[in-house]
């Protein structure tokens, strides 16, 4: 029995803006933004996967977050796992917030609905545990770090 899809009208991602405010996005909101595809392997997998989503840097500009206003981002998953992503990763590797894997939405039980994915096949230096750990699934929240 297949897992139910994440409802497209339910909030999937919250971005804290650094001024005490936040902005929330449903899957429908994210799907309306310009799409970007990356074909790359998932960490520790052999087969290439086509990931579709939005550029993380683009999302930040849409909520008026400029690159000079933070040194890193804290990304948090539904299960409270969190990672720190340096600003340089966003500028150099342009990871995406994927909402489709091989054209299919990702239920929560299958690491969805959102998955931050790096272009592992384009940058061999990404194929180390540090970047695998930063490729957070079940992404639900983004916060700014200015230290």
């Amino acid at each position: 029995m297949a897992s139910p899809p994440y409802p497209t009208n339910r909030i999937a991602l919250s971005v804290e803006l650094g001024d005490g405010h936040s902005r929330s996005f449903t899957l429908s909101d994210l799907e309306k933004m310009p799409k970007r595809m990356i074909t790359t392997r998932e960490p520790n997998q052999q087969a290439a996967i086509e990931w579709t989503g939005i550029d993380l840097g683009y999302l930040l500009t849409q909520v008026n977050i400029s690159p000079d206003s933070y040194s890193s981002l804290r990304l948090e998953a539904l299960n409270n796992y969190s990672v720190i992503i340096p600003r340089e990763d966003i500028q150099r590797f342009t990871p995406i917030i994927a909402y489709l894997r091989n054209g299919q939405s990702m239920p929560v039980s299958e690491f969805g609905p959102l998955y931050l994915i790096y272009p592992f096949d384009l940058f061999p230096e990404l194929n180390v545990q540090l970047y695998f750990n930063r490729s957070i699934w079940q992404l639900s929240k983004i916060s700014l770090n200015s230290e």
Side-chain angles (χ1 to χ4, degrees), residues 37-40 47-52 96 98 100-104:
M37 292 180 170
I38 293 176
T39 300
T40 195
I49 296 169
E50 181 183 82
W51 301 92
T52 304
I96 67 169
L100 296 177
R101 181 191 301 126
N102 288 330
Q104 301 295 313

Side-chain angles (χ1 to χ4, degrees), residues 25 28 42 59 63 84 96 109 124 132 138 144-146:
F25 297 91
S28 292
E42 195 172 17
L59 176 68
V63 294
I84 302 296
I96 67 169
S109 63
F132 296 160
Q138 294 181 338
L144 304 180
N145 282 336
S146 57

Side-chain angles (χ1 to χ4, degrees), residues 28-125:
S28 292
D29 295 331
L30 298 174
E31 290 169 351
K32 291 174 188 168
M33 295 182 189
K35 292 178 175 68
R36 192 166 135 235
M37 292 180 170
I38 293 176
T39 300
T40 195
R41 286 167 291 191
E42 195 172 17
N44 304 312
Q45 299 296 316
Q46 295 301 315
I49 296 169
E50 181 183 82
W51 301 92
T52 304
I54 61 165
D55 185 277
L56 175 56
Y58 175 84
L59 176 68
L60 296 175
T61 63
Q62 293 306 295
V63 294
N64 297 316
I65 296 174
S66 66
D68 59 352
S69 67
Y70 65 95
S71 58
S72 62
L73 300 174
R74 181 177 184 270
L75 280 65
E76 188 174 320
L78 292 172
N79 65 0
N80 294 322
Y81 173 80
S82 66
V83 295
I84 302 296
I85 306 290
R87 176 179 56 215
E88 294 77 28
D89 277 16
I90 299 162
Q91 296 168 333
R92 181 171 179 206
F93 303 120
T94 62
I96 67 169
I97 299 171
Y99 49 79
L100 296 177
R101 181 191 301 126
N102 288 330
Q104 301 295 313
S105 61
M106 296 174 282
V108 171
S109 63
E110 296 174 28
F111 308 115
L114 301 173
Y115 197 135
L116 183 81
I117 194 79
Y118 282 79
F120 293 104
D121 291 353
L122 291 178
F123 298 95
E125 63 267 36

